[in-house]
Amino acid sequence: MKQKTLLARFRKGEDSSNEFVARAASVEAIGKTATAFLNTSGGTIYVGVGDDGTLHGVGEPVERTVETIERMLSERLSPSSFVTVTIEDIGDDPIIVIDVPAGHDRPYVFDGAIFIRSGARTKPADSAMVRKLVQAQVEAPQRWERRISPSMTDEDLDIDEVLATARAAQEQDAGFVETREPHEILRRLSLWRSEGFTQGGDVLFSHDPSIRHPQCRVQFVVFEDDKAGDEYHNLKWLTGPLLDVADQVSRELESINASRVLFSEESLKRDQRKRYAPRALREALVNALVHRDYSAYSGGARIAVYPSRIEFWNSGSLPDELSTSDLKREHPSVPVNPDIAKVFYLRGQMEQLGRGTLKIMRACEEIGARKPVWKDSKSGVTLTIYAADKLPLEASEFNERQAAYLEATQPGSAISPADYAATFAQGLTPRSVRRDLVDLEDRGFVRREGGGPSTVYIRLDT
């Protein structure tokens, strides 16, 4: 999130969906407010910001503080929920941002008590409110990802994918206890119970979920011209465990995202960038796979590549609480499939709840592309991302660290943020190192793989 956006948010003060906590040690306040947001309409907790919006920051080591918060929420908040805990830099003062969605499994309990949000206050729920929360949950239809998958057996399970997720979970979420038993791993992720695998577990971890759920396939098509029609030269149907499908689509997108060499009007300096911001494509793909409606057999997801744009379509519609205009500004997180979303987060495919659309807009702006366009219709949700064929107004050169890295490495080589810091950016903070690498990714010189401590950046041939 941009620094000026955060500071403007702090000046507005606390409200029904924003809470400031001055000290990270105030774990009780953090836990109660997270529970209250889950039980109402979701919200964001900013740790390191005073009640009056004054910036205090979070002292180092901030990464260890994040682990403490994650462990506390995992151990003391029930039932478990998808909550993201991330670090944001504001000058030299890092803060911690906790994004909490509106919960699907209410009532949520923290240390045996139920809390709700009332205006800018977090308060215990009275008996009438508890009855209301319980009754609403009883009457609500079970969401698609939580239903038991018909005829899926242990033989269908991709155990390697399950174990890879467990390893990532231990790195990404301090509250995830180590285990190598597949059923126990999936149980902790709400993807298996005694009756069998859930449909969310099937989509994520079976070798071929399309056998039972044909709507899970993803279509990737490349058209000859910008007019929608039947003239195409590449059409593929991709299937498999959902994270593997995401990787397949990412490789297809990388193959068509050609670099362009441009010169700014003010100088003869050469600038080489991708036609599409990789970060925008990645966020758009994740949104299409995670937030789509899986319940309709006639549904699906489709990535259509045209000469000057890429369209991401998925079946379903935006939640009632959101409009396409809301996607262009800060908005509450309303995950359609929170169990699926949590696995994508643990595997490093998602960073924060409710921020993906803003990242798409910012990434497109940074490379000089037209603003992306969202359309919500009866047939589904479509996001259109446009190619950038000219330099943005403020094209920047590489800094010395980035230039040294590009000079010293070869296409195909991998480097972790820690190795980048040790070799090219000694003395730089981990957050500044990440900014260097994200910038290189947006300019098409590296590709990110993995998540959390396992993250590496692959040098591309550009």
Side-chain angles (χ1 to χ4, degrees):
M1 193 182 301
K2 289 185 177 180
Q3 178 174 324
K4 64 179 181 181
T5 303
L6 282 169
L7 294 175
R9 170 68 265 168
F10 301 157
R11 286 193 293 271
K12 291 181 180 179
E14 297 174 311
D15 56 27
S16 61
S17 59
N18 291 277
E19 172 80 359
F20 303 154
V21 177
R23 297 173 58 251
S26 303
V27 292
E28 299 287 334
I30 294 171
K32 291 177 180 179
T33 300
T35 307
F37 283 152
L38 286 165
N39 283 327
T40 46
S41 301
T44 304
I45 305 170
Y46 298 94
V47 182
V49 181
D51 290 342
D52 60 355
T54 301
L55 182 65
H56 296 279
V58 177
E60 298 288 353
V62 65
E63 287 82 3
R64 187 171 300 172
T65 303
V66 167
E67 291 180 2
T68 300
I69 293 172
E70 289 176 337
R71 186 176 295 108
M72 177 270 296
L73 292 174
S74 177
E75 294 174 351
R76 300 168 64 180
L77 192 155
S78 178
S80 63
S81 180
F82 177 29
V83 174
T84 63
V85 185
T86 55
I87 301 168
E88 291 282 356
D89 290 314
I90 303 184
D92 296 327
D93 297 308
I95 64 170
I96 294 173
V97 179
I98 306 171
D99 288 299
V100 185
H104 285 266
D105 302 311
R106 302 170 185 170
Y108 291 85
V109 178
F110 180 74
D111 283 351
I114 298 172
F115 298 89
I116 59 169
R117 192 73 171 175
S118 177
R121 293 178 53 239
T122 291
K123 66 179 187 179
D126 58 26
S127 57
M129 177 55 69
V130 171
R131 284 195 299 272
K132 183 177 180 181
L133 289 170
V134 171
Q135 185 63 29
Q137 187 64 24
V138 170
E139 295 175 355
Q142 189 176 45
R143 64 182 186 270
W144 186 89
E145 66 172 356
R146 282 285 175 92
R147 299 172 193 163
I148 296 300
S149 182
S151 71
M152 180 180 173
T153 68
D154 286 349
E155 286 71 27
D156 298 311
L157 189 63
D158 189 327
I159 295 178
D160 290 339
E161 278 290 305
V162 175
L163 296 179
T165 299
R167 290 192 296 270
Q170 291 155 27
E171 296 173 347
Q172 192 84 346
D173 184 349
F176 197 94
V177 180
E178 182 177 3
T179 178
R180 290 184 57 82
E181 205 290 306
H183 288 155
E184 177 60 18
I185 294 168
L186 296 180
R187 185 193 67 77
R188 295 181 187 180
L189 296 170
S190 301
L191 300 171
W192 180 87
R193 52 185 186 267
S194 59
E195 305 98 296
F197 299 97
T198 68
Q199 295 184 139
D202 192 347
V203 169
L204 285 161
F205 294 117
S206 68
H207 291 290
D208 188 1
S210 67
I211 295 173
R212 292 166 295 279
H213 312 289
Q215 70 272 30
C216 293
R217 299 184 303 164
V218 174
Q219 185 187 76
F220 184 90
V221 58
V222 180
F223 287 96
E224 296 282 0
D225 57 48
D226 279 316
K227 296 181 180 179
D230 298 327
E231 296 296 326
Y232 59 84
H233 61 79
N234 186 5
L235 172 62
K236 297 181 179 180
W237 287 96
L238 307 175
T239 188
L242 192 58
L243 285 155
D244 180 63
V245 170
D247 287 341
Q248 293 179 55
V249 177
S250 293
R251 289 193 292 271
E252 295 290 341
L253 289 171
E254 184 179 316
S255 71
I256 58 88
N257 190 14
S259 296
R260 69 202 198 284
V261 178
L262 299 170
F263 295 87
S264 68
E265 296 179 359
E266 293 76 17
S267 74
L268 294 178
K269 291 184 177 180
R270 177 176 178 269
D271 192 272
Q272 183 166 325
R273 299 193 182 194
K274 295 289 189 180
R275 296 186 70 226
Y276 299 94
R279 183 169 37 157
L281 298 183
R282 184 177 69 241
E283 292 288 345
L285 172 61
V286 169
N287 280 352
L289 297 181
V290 168
H291 299 308
R292 55 160 294 196
D293 177 10
Y294 283 91
S295 63
Y297 279 97
S298 59
R302 178 178 188 251
I303 292 85
V305 180
Y306 298 88
S308 65
R309 71 186 189 277
I310 301 176
E311 294 182 356
F312 295 81
W313 172 85
N314 60 268
S315 54
S317 60
L318 293 178
D320 293 338
E321 301 91 331
L322 297 177
S323 68
T324 55
S325 296
D326 293 325
L327 301 179
K328 301 173 185 177
R329 54 179 177 262
E330 283 191 67
H331 58 273
S333 174
V334 190
V336 177
N337 304 293
D339 296 343
I340 293 174
K342 184 171 185 178
V343 171
F344 268 70
Y345 170 71
L346 293 174
R347 291 290 292 271
Q349 299 293 326
M350 292 178 67
E351 295 179 4
Q352 285 179 285
L353 280 168
R355 308 296 169 86
T357 56
L358 298 180
K359 290 180 179 180
I360 291 169
M361 293 187 65
R362 187 156 61 247
C364 292
E365 177 186 358
E366 288 172 353
I367 67 167
R370 286 174 55 186
K371 291 182 179 179
V373 174
W374 282 269
K375 182 180 179 181
D376 186 16
S377 66
K378 291 182 179 179
S379 64
V381 178
T382 302
L383 164 61
T384 302
I385 294 180
Y386 296 94
D389 292 316
K390 63 180 181 179
L391 283 172
L393 294 177
E394 297 180 359
S396 60
E397 298 299 317
F398 298 117
N399 60 43
E400 293 182 1
R401 302 178 299 274
Q402 293 170 320
Y405 162 74
L406 293 173
E407 181 70 24
T409 57
Q410 297 295 321
S413 62
I415 193 167
S416 68
D419 289 340
Y420 178 89
T423 308
F424 305 104
Q426 293 183 6
L428 210 64
T429 66
R431 293 175 294 283
S432 296
V433 168
R434 286 196 293 271
R435 279 198 294 266
D436 271 11
L437 293 168
V438 167
D439 179 62
L440 287 171
E441 180 186 16
D442 286 344
R443 298 173 75 167
F445 285 88
V446 299
R447 179 184 71 248
R448 190 187 71 171
E449 291 188 356
S454 298
T455 300
V456 295
Y457 289 83
I458 309 299
R459 177 80 154 84
L460 300 179
D461 187 8
T462 56

